Short mmCIF file of all heavy atoms in Angstrom, two decimals:
data_model
loop_
_atom_site.label_atom_id
_atom_site.label_comp_id
_atom_site.label_asym_id
_atom_site.label_seq_id
_atom_site.Cartn_x
_atom_site.Cartn_y
_atom_site.Cartn_z
N MET K 708 -14.70 -42.41 -10.62
CA MET K 708 -13.50 -42.30 -9.75
C MET K 708 -12.79 -40.97 -10.03
O MET K 708 -12.56 -40.60 -11.18
CB MET K 708 -12.57 -43.49 -10.03
CG MET K 708 -11.48 -43.63 -8.98
SD MET K 708 -10.52 -45.12 -9.23
CE MET K 708 -9.20 -44.81 -8.07
N MET K 709 -12.46 -40.27 -8.98
CA MET K 709 -11.81 -38.97 -9.14
C MET K 709 -10.31 -39.14 -9.39
O MET K 709 -9.66 -40.02 -8.82
CB MET K 709 -12.00 -38.14 -7.86
CG MET K 709 -13.39 -37.47 -7.82
SD MET K 709 -13.69 -36.69 -6.24
CE MET K 709 -12.52 -35.35 -6.31
N GLY K 710 -9.77 -38.27 -10.22
CA GLY K 710 -8.35 -38.33 -10.54
C GLY K 710 -7.49 -37.88 -9.38
O GLY K 710 -6.43 -38.44 -9.13
N ILE K 711 -7.96 -36.84 -8.70
CA ILE K 711 -7.20 -36.30 -7.58
C ILE K 711 -7.98 -36.53 -6.30
O ILE K 711 -9.13 -36.13 -6.19
CB ILE K 711 -6.93 -34.79 -7.76
CG1 ILE K 711 -6.22 -34.54 -9.10
CG2 ILE K 711 -6.08 -34.25 -6.62
CD1 ILE K 711 -6.14 -33.08 -9.47
N SER K 712 -7.38 -37.17 -5.35
CA SER K 712 -8.04 -37.42 -4.07
C SER K 712 -7.94 -36.20 -3.16
O SER K 712 -7.19 -35.27 -3.43
CB SER K 712 -7.41 -38.63 -3.39
OG SER K 712 -6.10 -38.31 -2.99
N PHE K 713 -8.71 -36.24 -2.10
CA PHE K 713 -8.69 -35.14 -1.14
C PHE K 713 -7.30 -34.99 -0.51
O PHE K 713 -6.78 -33.87 -0.35
CB PHE K 713 -9.73 -35.42 -0.06
CG PHE K 713 -9.89 -34.29 0.92
CD1 PHE K 713 -10.39 -33.06 0.49
CD2 PHE K 713 -9.56 -34.45 2.24
CE1 PHE K 713 -10.54 -32.02 1.38
CE2 PHE K 713 -9.71 -33.42 3.15
CZ PHE K 713 -10.20 -32.20 2.71
N VAL K 714 -6.68 -36.13 -0.20
CA VAL K 714 -5.32 -36.11 0.38
C VAL K 714 -4.34 -35.52 -0.61
O VAL K 714 -3.46 -34.73 -0.25
CB VAL K 714 -4.90 -37.54 0.80
CG1 VAL K 714 -3.46 -37.55 1.29
CG2 VAL K 714 -5.84 -38.07 1.88
N GLY K 715 -4.52 -35.88 -1.89
CA GLY K 715 -3.65 -35.33 -2.93
C GLY K 715 -3.77 -33.82 -3.01
O GLY K 715 -2.76 -33.12 -3.15
N LEU K 716 -5.00 -33.34 -2.91
CA LEU K 716 -5.23 -31.88 -2.95
C LEU K 716 -4.53 -31.18 -1.80
O LEU K 716 -3.92 -30.12 -1.97
CB LEU K 716 -6.73 -31.60 -2.89
CG LEU K 716 -7.45 -31.50 -4.24
CD1 LEU K 716 -8.94 -31.35 -4.03
CD2 LEU K 716 -6.91 -30.32 -5.04
N ILE K 717 -4.61 -31.79 -0.61
CA ILE K 717 -3.96 -31.19 0.57
C ILE K 717 -2.45 -31.14 0.38
O ILE K 717 -1.80 -30.14 0.66
CB ILE K 717 -4.34 -32.00 1.85
CG1 ILE K 717 -5.81 -31.76 2.18
CG2 ILE K 717 -3.44 -31.59 3.01
CD1 ILE K 717 -6.32 -32.64 3.31
N ILE K 718 -1.90 -32.23 -0.17
CA ILE K 718 -0.45 -32.27 -0.39
C ILE K 718 -0.04 -31.19 -1.39
O ILE K 718 0.94 -30.47 -1.19
CB ILE K 718 -0.03 -33.68 -0.88
CG1 ILE K 718 -0.17 -34.69 0.27
CG2 ILE K 718 1.41 -33.67 -1.39
CD1 ILE K 718 -0.05 -36.14 -0.18
N VAL K 719 -0.84 -31.06 -2.46
CA VAL K 719 -0.55 -30.02 -3.47
C VAL K 719 -0.61 -28.64 -2.84
O VAL K 719 0.23 -27.77 -3.09
CB VAL K 719 -1.53 -30.15 -4.65
CG1 VAL K 719 -1.49 -28.91 -5.54
CG2 VAL K 719 -1.21 -31.39 -5.47
N ALA K 720 -1.61 -28.41 -1.98
CA ALA K 720 -1.78 -27.12 -1.34
C ALA K 720 -0.59 -26.81 -0.42
O ALA K 720 -0.06 -25.70 -0.42
CB ALA K 720 -3.07 -27.09 -0.54
N VAL K 721 -0.16 -27.82 0.35
CA VAL K 721 0.96 -27.62 1.28
C VAL K 721 2.24 -27.33 0.51
O VAL K 721 3.00 -26.41 0.84
CB VAL K 721 1.12 -28.85 2.20
CG1 VAL K 721 2.44 -28.80 2.94
CG2 VAL K 721 -0.05 -28.92 3.18
N VAL K 722 2.47 -28.12 -0.56
CA VAL K 722 3.68 -27.91 -1.36
C VAL K 722 3.65 -26.54 -2.03
O VAL K 722 4.64 -25.82 -2.06
CB VAL K 722 3.82 -29.04 -2.40
CG1 VAL K 722 4.93 -28.72 -3.41
CG2 VAL K 722 4.13 -30.37 -1.71
N GLY K 723 2.46 -26.15 -2.51
CA GLY K 723 2.32 -24.84 -3.15
C GLY K 723 2.59 -23.71 -2.18
O GLY K 723 3.31 -22.76 -2.51
N LEU K 724 2.06 -23.83 -0.96
CA LEU K 724 2.29 -22.80 0.06
C LEU K 724 3.76 -22.71 0.42
O LEU K 724 4.31 -21.62 0.56
CB LEU K 724 1.46 -23.12 1.31
CG LEU K 724 0.00 -22.67 1.24
CD1 LEU K 724 -0.77 -23.18 2.46
CD2 LEU K 724 -0.09 -21.15 1.18
N ALA K 725 4.41 -23.88 0.53
CA ALA K 725 5.83 -23.90 0.86
C ALA K 725 6.64 -23.23 -0.25
O ALA K 725 7.58 -22.47 0.02
CB ALA K 725 6.30 -25.33 1.08
N LEU K 726 6.27 -23.49 -1.49
CA LEU K 726 6.96 -22.89 -2.63
C LEU K 726 6.78 -21.37 -2.62
O LEU K 726 7.75 -20.62 -2.81
CB LEU K 726 6.42 -23.46 -3.94
CG LEU K 726 7.07 -24.76 -4.43
CD1 LEU K 726 6.34 -25.29 -5.65
CD2 LEU K 726 8.54 -24.52 -4.77
N ILE K 727 5.54 -20.91 -2.38
CA ILE K 727 5.26 -19.47 -2.36
C ILE K 727 6.04 -18.82 -1.21
O ILE K 727 6.64 -17.75 -1.37
CB ILE K 727 3.75 -19.23 -2.22
CG1 ILE K 727 3.05 -19.61 -3.53
CG2 ILE K 727 3.45 -17.78 -1.89
CD1 ILE K 727 1.54 -19.73 -3.41
N PHE K 728 6.04 -19.49 -0.05
CA PHE K 728 6.74 -18.95 1.11
C PHE K 728 8.24 -18.81 0.81
O PHE K 728 8.86 -17.79 1.10
CB PHE K 728 6.53 -19.90 2.30
CG PHE K 728 7.09 -19.37 3.59
CD1 PHE K 728 6.46 -18.32 4.25
CD2 PHE K 728 8.23 -19.93 4.15
CE1 PHE K 728 6.97 -17.83 5.43
CE2 PHE K 728 8.75 -19.44 5.34
CZ PHE K 728 8.11 -18.39 5.98
N GLY K 729 8.81 -19.86 0.19
CA GLY K 729 10.23 -19.82 -0.16
C GLY K 729 10.52 -18.72 -1.17
O GLY K 729 11.54 -18.04 -1.07
N LEU K 730 9.61 -18.56 -2.12
CA LEU K 730 9.79 -17.54 -3.15
C LEU K 730 9.78 -16.14 -2.54
O LEU K 730 10.64 -15.31 -2.84
CB LEU K 730 8.65 -17.68 -4.18
CG LEU K 730 8.94 -17.13 -5.57
CD1 LEU K 730 9.84 -18.11 -6.32
CD2 LEU K 730 7.65 -16.94 -6.34
N VAL K 731 8.82 -15.90 -1.64
CA VAL K 731 8.71 -14.59 -0.99
C VAL K 731 9.94 -14.32 -0.14
O VAL K 731 10.50 -13.22 -0.15
CB VAL K 731 7.42 -14.52 -0.14
CG1 VAL K 731 7.43 -13.31 0.76
CG2 VAL K 731 6.19 -14.50 -1.05
N LYS K 732 10.38 -15.36 0.59
CA LYS K 732 11.57 -15.22 1.43
C LYS K 732 12.79 -14.87 0.58
O LYS K 732 13.56 -13.97 0.91
CB LYS K 732 11.84 -16.53 2.19
CG LYS K 732 11.01 -16.68 3.44
CD LYS K 732 11.64 -15.94 4.60
CE LYS K 732 12.06 -16.89 5.69
NZ LYS K 732 12.52 -16.17 6.89
N GLY K 733 12.96 -15.61 -0.52
CA GLY K 733 14.09 -15.38 -1.41
C GLY K 733 14.04 -14.00 -2.04
O GLY K 733 15.06 -13.32 -2.12
N LEU K 734 12.85 -13.59 -2.43
CA LEU K 734 12.68 -12.27 -3.06
C LEU K 734 13.03 -11.16 -2.09
O LEU K 734 13.75 -10.23 -2.44
CB LEU K 734 11.24 -12.12 -3.54
CG LEU K 734 11.01 -12.33 -5.04
CD1 LEU K 734 9.51 -12.27 -5.36
CD2 LEU K 734 11.73 -11.27 -5.86
N SER K 735 12.53 -11.26 -0.85
CA SER K 735 12.79 -10.21 0.13
C SER K 735 14.27 -10.17 0.49
O SER K 735 14.83 -9.10 0.70
CB SER K 735 11.94 -10.42 1.38
OG SER K 735 12.28 -11.63 2.01
N ALA K 736 14.92 -11.35 0.52
CA ALA K 736 16.35 -11.38 0.80
C ALA K 736 17.12 -10.71 -0.33
O ALA K 736 18.06 -9.94 -0.09
CB ALA K 736 16.81 -12.83 0.98
N MET K 737 16.70 -10.99 -1.57
CA MET K 737 17.36 -10.38 -2.72
C MET K 737 17.16 -8.87 -2.73
O MET K 737 18.07 -8.11 -3.01
CB MET K 737 16.79 -10.99 -4.01
CG MET K 737 17.64 -12.13 -4.56
SD MET K 737 16.81 -12.98 -5.89
CE MET K 737 16.69 -11.67 -7.10
N LEU K 738 15.94 -8.43 -2.39
CA LEU K 738 15.63 -7.01 -2.35
C LEU K 738 16.46 -6.32 -1.27
O LEU K 738 16.97 -5.22 -1.47
CB LEU K 738 14.13 -6.80 -2.08
CG LEU K 738 13.25 -6.84 -3.33
CD1 LEU K 738 11.78 -6.76 -2.92
CD2 LEU K 738 13.57 -5.70 -4.27
N GLY K 739 16.60 -6.96 -0.12
CA GLY K 739 17.40 -6.41 0.96
C GLY K 739 18.85 -6.26 0.56
O GLY K 739 19.49 -5.24 0.83
N LEU K 740 19.36 -7.26 -0.15
CA LEU K 740 20.74 -7.22 -0.64
C LEU K 740 20.90 -6.07 -1.62
O LEU K 740 21.85 -5.29 -1.55
CB LEU K 740 21.05 -8.56 -1.33
CG LEU K 740 22.53 -8.90 -1.45
CD1 LEU K 740 23.06 -9.39 -0.11
CD2 LEU K 740 22.73 -10.00 -2.49
N PHE K 741 19.94 -5.96 -2.55
CA PHE K 741 19.98 -4.91 -3.56
C PHE K 741 19.93 -3.54 -2.90
O PHE K 741 20.68 -2.63 -3.27
CB PHE K 741 18.79 -5.08 -4.51
CG PHE K 741 18.75 -4.09 -5.64
CD1 PHE K 741 19.72 -4.13 -6.63
CD2 PHE K 741 17.76 -3.15 -5.71
CE1 PHE K 741 19.69 -3.23 -7.68
CE2 PHE K 741 17.71 -2.24 -6.76
CZ PHE K 741 18.68 -2.27 -7.75
N LYS K 742 19.09 -3.39 -1.89
CA LYS K 742 18.95 -2.13 -1.19
C LYS K 742 20.23 -1.73 -0.48
O LYS K 742 20.64 -0.59 -0.51
CB LYS K 742 17.80 -2.24 -0.18
CG LYS K 742 16.68 -1.24 -0.45
CD LYS K 742 15.62 -1.36 0.63
CE LYS K 742 14.57 -0.26 0.46
NZ LYS K 742 13.52 -0.38 1.45
N SER K 743 20.87 -2.72 0.18
CA SER K 743 22.08 -2.42 0.92
C SER K 743 23.21 -2.05 -0.02
O SER K 743 24.03 -1.20 0.28
CB SER K 743 22.48 -3.62 1.80
OG SER K 743 22.91 -4.70 1.00
N VAL K 744 23.25 -2.71 -1.18
CA VAL K 744 24.27 -2.36 -2.18
C VAL K 744 24.04 -0.94 -2.67
O VAL K 744 24.96 -0.16 -2.80
CB VAL K 744 24.22 -3.36 -3.36
CG1 VAL K 744 25.02 -2.84 -4.54
CG2 VAL K 744 24.76 -4.71 -2.92
N GLN K 745 22.77 -0.61 -2.91
CA GLN K 745 22.42 0.71 -3.42
C GLN K 745 22.80 1.80 -2.42
O GLN K 745 23.45 2.76 -2.76
CB GLN K 745 20.91 0.76 -3.65
CG GLN K 745 20.57 1.10 -5.09
CD GLN K 745 19.08 1.34 -5.25
OE1 GLN K 745 18.31 1.21 -4.30
NE2 GLN K 745 18.69 1.67 -6.44
N SER K 746 22.39 1.62 -1.16
CA SER K 746 22.60 2.66 -0.17
C SER K 746 24.07 2.74 0.23
O SER K 746 24.51 3.74 0.77
CB SER K 746 21.74 2.39 1.06
OG SER K 746 22.11 1.17 1.66
N GLY K 747 24.84 1.67 -0.04
CA GLY K 747 26.25 1.67 0.32
C GLY K 747 27.06 2.60 -0.55
O GLY K 747 28.10 3.09 -0.12
N HIS K 748 26.60 2.84 -1.78
CA HIS K 748 27.42 3.60 -2.73
C HIS K 748 26.78 4.91 -3.17
O HIS K 748 27.47 5.90 -3.32
CB HIS K 748 27.70 2.74 -3.96
CG HIS K 748 28.54 1.54 -3.65
ND1 HIS K 748 29.88 1.61 -3.37
CD2 HIS K 748 28.23 0.24 -3.55
CE1 HIS K 748 30.34 0.41 -3.11
NE2 HIS K 748 29.35 -0.46 -3.22
N ALA K 749 25.47 4.88 -3.36
CA ALA K 749 24.84 6.02 -4.03
C ALA K 749 24.66 7.19 -3.08
O ALA K 749 24.27 7.04 -1.93
CB ALA K 749 23.48 5.59 -4.59
N THR K 750 24.96 8.37 -3.58
CA THR K 750 24.61 9.60 -2.88
C THR K 750 23.86 10.48 -3.85
O THR K 750 23.94 10.31 -5.05
CB THR K 750 25.87 10.34 -2.38
OG1 THR K 750 26.69 10.62 -3.50
CG2 THR K 750 26.63 9.53 -1.36
N LEU K 751 23.13 11.42 -3.31
CA LEU K 751 22.46 12.38 -4.18
C LEU K 751 22.46 13.74 -3.52
O LEU K 751 22.64 13.86 -2.31
CB LEU K 751 21.05 11.91 -4.52
CG LEU K 751 20.08 11.59 -3.39
CD1 LEU K 751 19.30 12.79 -2.94
CD2 LEU K 751 19.11 10.52 -3.87
N ALA K 752 22.25 14.75 -4.34
CA ALA K 752 22.27 16.11 -3.82
C ALA K 752 20.93 16.44 -3.21
O ALA K 752 19.89 16.19 -3.81
CB ALA K 752 22.59 17.08 -4.96
N CYS K 753 20.95 17.00 -2.03
CA CYS K 753 19.73 17.41 -1.36
C CYS K 753 19.08 18.55 -2.14
O CYS K 753 19.75 19.51 -2.50
CB CYS K 753 20.05 17.86 0.07
SG CYS K 753 18.66 18.61 0.93
N PRO K 754 17.78 18.47 -2.40
CA PRO K 754 17.11 19.53 -3.15
C PRO K 754 16.99 20.83 -2.36
O PRO K 754 16.74 21.88 -2.92
CB PRO K 754 15.73 18.94 -3.46
CG PRO K 754 15.52 17.90 -2.42
CD PRO K 754 16.88 17.35 -2.09
N LYS K 755 17.18 20.74 -1.03
CA LYS K 755 17.00 21.93 -0.20
C LYS K 755 18.31 22.67 0.03
O LYS K 755 18.39 23.88 -0.17
CB LYS K 755 16.40 21.50 1.14
CG LYS K 755 15.71 22.64 1.88
CD LYS K 755 15.05 22.13 3.14
CE LYS K 755 14.50 23.29 3.96
NZ LYS K 755 14.08 22.82 5.29
N CYS K 756 19.36 21.90 0.45
CA CYS K 756 20.62 22.56 0.79
C CYS K 756 21.74 22.23 -0.18
O CYS K 756 22.80 22.85 -0.13
CB CYS K 756 21.03 22.21 2.22
SG CYS K 756 21.52 20.48 2.42
N GLY K 757 21.54 21.26 -1.09
CA GLY K 757 22.54 20.96 -2.11
C GLY K 757 23.68 20.08 -1.63
O GLY K 757 24.59 19.78 -2.41
N GLN K 758 23.66 19.64 -0.38
CA GLN K 758 24.71 18.77 0.15
C GLN K 758 24.55 17.36 -0.41
O GLN K 758 23.44 16.89 -0.60
CB GLN K 758 24.65 18.71 1.68
CG GLN K 758 24.96 20.02 2.36
CD GLN K 758 26.46 20.30 2.42
OE1 GLN K 758 27.24 19.38 2.59
NE2 GLN K 758 26.83 21.55 2.24
N GLN K 759 25.68 16.69 -0.65
CA GLN K 759 25.63 15.28 -1.03
C GLN K 759 25.27 14.47 0.20
O GLN K 759 25.87 14.63 1.26
CB GLN K 759 27.00 14.82 -1.56
CG GLN K 759 27.33 15.33 -2.96
CD GLN K 759 26.45 14.72 -4.03
OE1 GLN K 759 26.21 13.53 -4.02
NE2 GLN K 759 25.98 15.55 -4.96
N THR K 760 24.28 13.60 0.05
CA THR K 760 23.85 12.80 1.18
C THR K 760 23.41 11.43 0.70
O THR K 760 22.96 11.28 -0.43
CB THR K 760 22.69 13.50 1.94
OG1 THR K 760 22.27 12.66 3.00
CG2 THR K 760 21.51 13.75 1.02
N SER K 761 23.60 10.43 1.54
CA SER K 761 23.08 9.11 1.21
C SER K 761 21.58 9.13 1.43
O SER K 761 21.09 9.77 2.36
CB SER K 761 23.72 8.04 2.08
OG SER K 761 23.21 8.11 3.39
N HIS K 762 20.85 8.43 0.54
CA HIS K 762 19.39 8.45 0.67
C HIS K 762 18.87 7.19 1.35
O HIS K 762 17.74 6.79 1.15
CB HIS K 762 18.73 8.65 -0.69
CG HIS K 762 19.11 7.62 -1.71
ND1 HIS K 762 18.33 6.54 -2.01
CD2 HIS K 762 20.22 7.51 -2.47
CE1 HIS K 762 18.94 5.83 -2.93
NE2 HIS K 762 20.09 6.38 -3.24
N ALA K 763 19.74 6.56 2.15
CA ALA K 763 19.34 5.32 2.81
C ALA K 763 18.19 5.55 3.78
O ALA K 763 17.28 4.73 3.88
CB ALA K 763 20.53 4.73 3.55
N ASN K 764 18.23 6.65 4.51
CA ASN K 764 17.17 6.88 5.49
C ASN K 764 16.10 7.83 4.97
O ASN K 764 15.18 8.18 5.69
CB ASN K 764 17.78 7.42 6.80
CG ASN K 764 18.72 8.58 6.54
OD1 ASN K 764 18.77 9.12 5.44
ND2 ASN K 764 19.47 8.97 7.56
N GLY K 765 16.20 8.25 3.70
CA GLY K 765 15.18 9.09 3.10
C GLY K 765 15.24 10.54 3.53
O GLY K 765 14.37 11.32 3.17
N ARG K 766 16.26 10.88 4.31
CA ARG K 766 16.37 12.27 4.76
C ARG K 766 17.79 12.77 4.54
O ARG K 766 18.74 12.02 4.56
CB ARG K 766 16.01 12.36 6.25
CG ARG K 766 14.53 12.25 6.49
CD ARG K 766 14.17 12.54 7.95
NE ARG K 766 12.72 12.54 8.12
CZ ARG K 766 11.95 13.61 7.86
NH1 ARG K 766 12.50 14.73 7.47
NH2 ARG K 766 10.65 13.53 8.02
N CYS K 767 17.92 14.06 4.35
CA CYS K 767 19.22 14.68 4.16
C CYS K 767 20.02 14.59 5.47
O CYS K 767 19.50 14.87 6.54
CB CYS K 767 19.03 16.14 3.76
SG CYS K 767 20.57 17.07 3.67
N ASP K 768 21.30 14.20 5.33
CA ASP K 768 22.15 14.11 6.52
C ASP K 768 22.48 15.50 7.08
O ASP K 768 22.74 15.65 8.26
CB ASP K 768 23.45 13.37 6.17
CG ASP K 768 23.20 11.91 5.87
OD1 ASP K 768 22.18 11.37 6.35
OD2 ASP K 768 24.01 11.31 5.15
N ALA K 769 22.50 16.50 6.22
CA ALA K 769 22.93 17.83 6.62
C ALA K 769 21.80 18.64 7.25
O ALA K 769 21.96 19.20 8.33
CB ALA K 769 23.51 18.58 5.43
N CYS K 770 20.64 18.70 6.55
CA CYS K 770 19.57 19.58 7.03
C CYS K 770 18.32 18.82 7.46
O CYS K 770 17.42 19.42 8.03
CB CYS K 770 19.22 20.61 5.96
SG CYS K 770 18.40 19.89 4.51
N GLY K 771 18.22 17.52 7.16
CA GLY K 771 17.09 16.73 7.61
C GLY K 771 15.86 16.83 6.73
O GLY K 771 14.81 16.32 7.09
N ALA K 772 16.00 17.48 5.58
CA ALA K 772 14.86 17.59 4.67
C ALA K 772 14.59 16.25 4.01
O ALA K 772 15.51 15.47 3.78
CB ALA K 772 15.15 18.65 3.60
N GLU K 773 13.32 16.00 3.69
CA GLU K 773 12.96 14.76 3.01
C GLU K 773 13.45 14.79 1.58
O GLU K 773 13.33 15.80 0.90
CB GLU K 773 11.44 14.59 3.06
CG GLU K 773 11.02 13.44 3.96
CD GLU K 773 9.53 13.25 3.97
OE1 GLU K 773 8.87 13.90 4.80
OE2 GLU K 773 9.04 12.43 3.20
N LEU K 774 14.00 13.68 1.14
CA LEU K 774 14.54 13.60 -0.22
C LEU K 774 13.49 13.10 -1.19
O LEU K 774 12.66 12.32 -0.82
CB LEU K 774 15.75 12.66 -0.22
CG LEU K 774 16.91 13.13 0.65
CD1 LEU K 774 17.96 12.03 0.75
CD2 LEU K 774 17.53 14.38 0.08
ZN1 ZN J 556 19.80 19.07 2.92
#
């Protein structure tokens, strides 16, 4: 007699997938929050023109150079 039935395996798989899905969702939400907090405050000097710019979009606000 098997300890784990086929139905049991399916239930474990479904619960595991739901857990992984929830974990990924939570992680991405946390990362998004962290990113928005970061971009809300941090500025850095552009290496090309020296202007202070937010690095939220990855480009200098003044000259458009990649940061
Ligand atoms: Zn610049």
Side-chain angles (χ1 to χ4, degrees):
M708 193 174 170
M709 280 172 69
I711 304 170
S712 68
F713 185 65
V714 175
L716 269 175
I717 289 173
I718 290 169
V719 166
V721 167
V722 170
L724 278 174
L726 273 174
I727 289 166
F728 186 73
L730 204 77
V731 168
K732 278 278 244 186
L734 259 175
S735 63
M737 264 170 63
L738 275 174
L740 201 77
F741 182 67
K742 241 183 173 178
S743 69
V744 167
Q745 238 188 358
S746 62
H748 295 287
T750 58
L751 55 88
C753 172
K755 201 176 174 190
C756 69
Q758 294 282 324
Q759 286 292 316
T760 178
S761 73
H762 57 99
N764 50 11
R766 285 188 175 276
C767 174
D768 292 336
C770 69
E773 249 182 273
L774 298 171

